[in-house]
Amino acid sequence: MTTTPTPGTDPTAKWQKLADALNALDADGFGLQFGDAMGPETNWRSTPYVYSLMRPDAPETAWDRRKKKWVVVTKR
């Protein structure tokens, strides 16, 4: 399901929620890193993901091309 932002609305609050979530993970010692996966599993298309450099046991968040949304996945 793809949604289009309503024209004339200010998306700042949603971006702030994202910033707050990233800051909370960083404050908990996750050491967030942003990467770009590409290979046969992504049909050789660039696919962004976020992972923890400091917590190898932590899951990742990746863009799922089929679902067209961010999902939590186990480590690659």
Side-chain angles (χ1 to χ4, degrees):
M1 179 174 107
T2 302
T3 59
T4 303
T6 306
T9 60
D10 183 4
T12 304
K14 288 184 179 183
W15 283 101
Q16 186 59 56
K17 285 182 183 180
L18 174 60
D20 292 343
L22 294 172
N23 286 329
L25 286 166
D26 192 53
D28 284 344
F30 281 86
L32 297 178
Q33 298 291 307
F34 295 80
D36 207 18
M38 186 182 294
E41 69 278 1
T42 64
N43 199 23
W44 298 101
R45 294 183 178 170
S46 177
T47 303
Y49 66 100
V50 183
Y51 65 99
S52 172
L53 183 64
M54 305 306 288
R55 299 274 304 270
D57 59 322
E60 299 177 349
T61 299
W63 180 254
D64 186 313
R65 290 187 169 277
R66 282 177 266 154
K67 295 178 181 177
K68 297 184 179 179
K69 66 179 184 177
W70 289 94
V71 296
V72 175
V73 296
T74 55
K75 285 281 195 183
R76 298 175 189 278

